[in-house]
């Protein structure tokens, strides 16, 4: 499998990268290349020019900032998983270690994963459940995109073709907060047959104050299970309540393929949503 011929540019600044993306017809940004290059090799994509983000400086920060956490566009899955700055949120390490293999984790990026919007990508679920935001810069300046506004379809986002995610931000968990990501890997590819990310905040009486559950690998687009969340808001947080809330997920619109039928995916969604919530609750109550 060999990609079609393409030109290659390696800008030394973010603004230069954006200028190239805006000026060159059929140009595409490449970061870790772990999704784009395979797609090019299979000739699913054949951009005329690749604009490489790899030599743009200052994009690999992983830090606590402004009451939350910032992850630069070039931070790899492996760096995110090992970052001391994110130790308060074990969901990051637990998600990173589920992604591909060591080579993929050493090159692929969290920001690239969000921009790629794979229906079975792991980070999109975590991004949705934690209520993250991306800062995206384009020719007209920088804007913020909230998690709920990023994914618009299968492999599609609200980013313009000349917009670059500069960093991804996540709010810091307060007291009595817990979050977790659980995944069932498809045996051959390692991608999620189902991935569930849950985030919970308890009030002083042990009731659910904020709940978010997001699923990947199920529908054509990663999504929040708002019906489950609504049943839990204000409810006593115990295992029985979590199980009851996950018995029915109104937002399910599962794909069916040779790896899993729609029925099986629906079943997995209910089971993994509950398990992710249970683990998030254990952490919130610890
Ligand atoms: C063998 C293998 C196994 C994998 N297993 C998993 C898995 O289990 N789970 C999982 O979630 N993923 C998996 N992946 C995909 C991997 O996580 C990719 O790293 C990730 O999806 C894309 O990140 P990247 O930096 O490699 O992006 P690239 O491949 O460079 O780019 C992907 C897309 O995002 C765009 N893009 C990249 N960075 C930015 C940015 N900063 N701003 C705007 N647009 C941007 C590109 O233009 C392109 O359209 C696997 C990949 C391989 C090859």
């Amino acid at each position: 499998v060999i990609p079609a011929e393409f030109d290659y540019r390696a800008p030394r600044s973010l603004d230069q990268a954006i200028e190239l993306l805006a000026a060159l017809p059929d140009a595409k940004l490449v970061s870790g290349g772990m999704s784009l290059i395979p797609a090019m090799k299979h000739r699913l994509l054949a951009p005329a020019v690749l604009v490489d983000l790899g030599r743009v400086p200052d994009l690999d920060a992983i830090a606590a900032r402004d009451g939350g956490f910032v992850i630069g566009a070039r931070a790899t899955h492996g760096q995110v998983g090992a970052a001391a700055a994110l130790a308060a949120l074990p969901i990051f390490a637990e998600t990173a270690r589920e992604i591909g293999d060591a080579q993929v984790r050493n090159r692929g990026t969290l920001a690239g994963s969000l921009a790629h919007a794979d229906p079975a990508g792991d980070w999109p679920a975590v991004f949705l459940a934690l209520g993250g935001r991306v800062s995206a810069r384009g020719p007209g300046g920088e804007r913020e995109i909230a998690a709920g506004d990023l994914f618009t379809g299968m492999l599609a986002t609200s980013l313009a073709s000349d917009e670059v995610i500069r960093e991804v931000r996540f709010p810091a968990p307060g007291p009595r907060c817990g979050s977790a990501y659980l995944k069932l890997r498809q045996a051959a590819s390692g991608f999620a047959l189902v991935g569930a990310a849950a985030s919970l905040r308890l009030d002083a009486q042990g009731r659910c104050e904020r709940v978010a559950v997001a699923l990947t690998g199920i529908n054509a687009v990663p999504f929040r299970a708002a019906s489950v969340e609504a049943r839990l808001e204000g409810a006593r947080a115990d295992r029985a309540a979590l199980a009851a809330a996950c018995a029915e997920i109104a937002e399910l619109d599962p794909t069916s393929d040779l790896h899993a039928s729609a029925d099986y995916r629906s079943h997995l969604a209910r089971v993994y949503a509950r398990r992710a919530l249970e683990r998030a609750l254990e952490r919130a109550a610890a």
Side-chain angles (χ1 to χ4, degrees):
V1 281
I2 298 171
E5 207 168 295
F6 60 89
D7 197 3
Y8 172 83
R9 300 296 182 90
R12 304 300 165 123
S13 76
L14 189 54
D15 287 338
Q16 228 175 58
I18 293 161
E19 273 168 35
L20 289 169
L21 289 169
L24 299 171
D26 202 15
K28 190 117 182 91
L29 188 73
V30 63
S31 188
M34 293 294 98
S35 294
L36 183 57
I37 303 297
M40 289 170 63
K41 285 176 142 187
H42 290 287
R43 307 245 174 164
L44 300 169
L45 289 173
V49 190
L50 286 189
V51 176
D52 190 351
L53 202 58
R55 306 220 182 142
V56 173
D58 304 326
L59 291 177
D60 54 2
I62 303 177
R65 205 173 72 203
D66 304 332
F69 299 100
V70 171
I71 297 178
R74 288 284 302 149
T76 63
H77 309 306
Q79 288 166 341
V80 170
L86 299 172
L89 280 164
I91 190 173
F92 283 102
E94 123 189 310
T95 306
R97 70 168 173 256
E98 288 289 348
I99 296 178
D101 50 32
Q103 286 164 298
V104 172
R105 293 192 291 274
N106 282 337
R107 291 207 63 90
T109 63
L110 181 149
S113 220
L114 299 182
H116 186 58
D118 192 298
D122 295 300
W123 289 123
V126 173
F127 180 64
L128 286 168
L130 295 184
R133 305 175 79 81
V134 302
S135 293
R137 195 181 290 178
E142 194 154 309
R143 67 177 174 127
E144 285 229 326
I145 307 173
D149 298 325
L150 185 65
F151 307 113
T152 55
M154 187 183 273
L155 304 174
T157 67
S158 52
L159 290 164
S161 60
D162 54 6
E163 265 186 319
V164 179
I165 296 177
R166 188 177 59 77
E167 63 184 27
V168 186
R169 286 207 290 280
F170 293 90
R176 297 186 298 269
C177 281
S179 56
Y181 182 69
L182 289 183
K183 169 179 179 179
L184 179 65
R185 287 171 151 243
Q186 195 269 310
S189 73
F191 273 86
L193 263 188
V194 61
S199 162
L200 261 182
R201 184 172 67 222
L202 302 178
D203 68 12
Q205 284 73 45
R207 287 185 299 256
C208 299
E209 203 169 63
R210 179 192 180 269
V211 193
V213 188
L215 290 157
T216 187
I218 302 290
N219 293 1
V221 187
F223 65 99
R224 270 178 70 171
S227 57
V228 173
E229 298 171 3
R231 268 176 233 127
L232 286 171
E233 297 277 354
R236 229 208 118 68
D238 56 30
R239 290 170 74 93
L242 301 184
C246 294
E248 192 72 51
I249 302 179
E251 296 74 18
L252 289 178
D253 182 15
T255 47
S256 186
D257 57 27
L258 79 164
H259 304 303
S261 66
D263 274 356
Y264 183 47
R265 277 201 165 83
S266 297
H267 170 74
L268 291 176
R270 291 187 288 267
V271 171
Y272 276 75
R274 173 176 54 77
R275 290 182 187 171
L277 277 162
E278 285 170 357
R279 187 163 300 171
L281 175 60
E282 281 165 24
R283 288 178 177 162

